[in-house]
């Protein structure tokens, strides 16, 4: 008898983020690709947003309740504003559970951002 367990195949979530752009060195961006990449980098250009994004990305289990990441030196309404900006830029997804909202960085976002800044293979 085998002791192996089969893991289910997960389908991408309906709101999962698709990779935005090819590596910078592969070819010039289209206008749409440049707009998408600029929106992502603009959202991360604010130190509070970068701290919140990092807090979510590095949180145990890959997601964080807003109650766990609010200590970034600004008021709660400002934290909510910054999280909304990160979500609007496609960097975070969220899910409401009871009175709390949980945020997650989709693995495809990190992969896309990493791919964007790599040298294209020829």
């Amino acid at each position: 008898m085998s002791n192996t367990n089969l893991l289910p195949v997960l389908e991408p979530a309906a709101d999962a983020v698709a990779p935005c752009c090819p590596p910078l060195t592969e070819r010039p961006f289209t206008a749409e690709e440049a707009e998408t990449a600029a929106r992502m980098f603009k959202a991360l250009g604010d130190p509070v947003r970068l701290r919140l994004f990092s807090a979510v990305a590095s949180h145990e289990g890959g997601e964080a309740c807003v109650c766990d990441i609010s200590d970034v030196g600004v008021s709660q309404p400002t934290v909510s504003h910054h999280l909304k900006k990160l979500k609007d830029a496609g960097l975070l997804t969220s899910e409401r559970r009871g009175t709390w909202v949980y945020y997650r960085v989709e693995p495809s976002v990190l992969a896309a951002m990493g791919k964007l800044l790599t040298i294209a293979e020829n």
Side-chain angles (χ1 to χ4, degrees):
M1 176 182 247
S2 175
N3 224 9
T4 60
N5 293 324
L6 296 176
L7 297 175
V9 175
L10 299 177
E11 296 297 324
D15 61 350
V17 179
C20 77
C21 317
L24 288 170
T25 58
E26 184 177 296
R27 62 172 171 73
F29 283 173
T30 65
E32 183 179 326
E33 291 168 340
E35 183 67 34
T36 301
R39 191 171 40 253
M40 290 169 51
F41 285 112
K42 182 177 180 182
L44 291 174
D46 181 281
V48 173
R49 287 186 206 140
L50 187 55
R51 287 184 66 199
L52 288 167
F53 185 73
S54 174
V56 172
S58 64
H59 201 269
E60 186 177 331
E63 68 177 9
C65 173
V66 69
C67 61
D68 295 330
I69 58 171
S70 296
D71 188 22
V72 292
V74 295
S75 67
Q76 176 55 47
T78 303
V79 168
S80 294
H81 166 77
H82 286 301
L83 288 169
K84 181 182 183 323
K85 291 288 188 179
L86 289 167
K87 189 175 174 187
D88 291 347
L91 296 169
L92 296 178
T93 59
S94 66
E95 177 184 347
R96 179 171 292 282
R97 297 181 198 157
T99 59
W100 297 107
V101 177
Y102 287 78
Y103 290 89
R104 176 180 308 106
V105 177
E106 292 295 326
S108 63
V109 169
L110 293 177
M113 291 179 77
K115 182 180 176 188
L116 177 68
L117 298 174
T118 60
I119 296 175
E121 297 176 21
N122 292 327

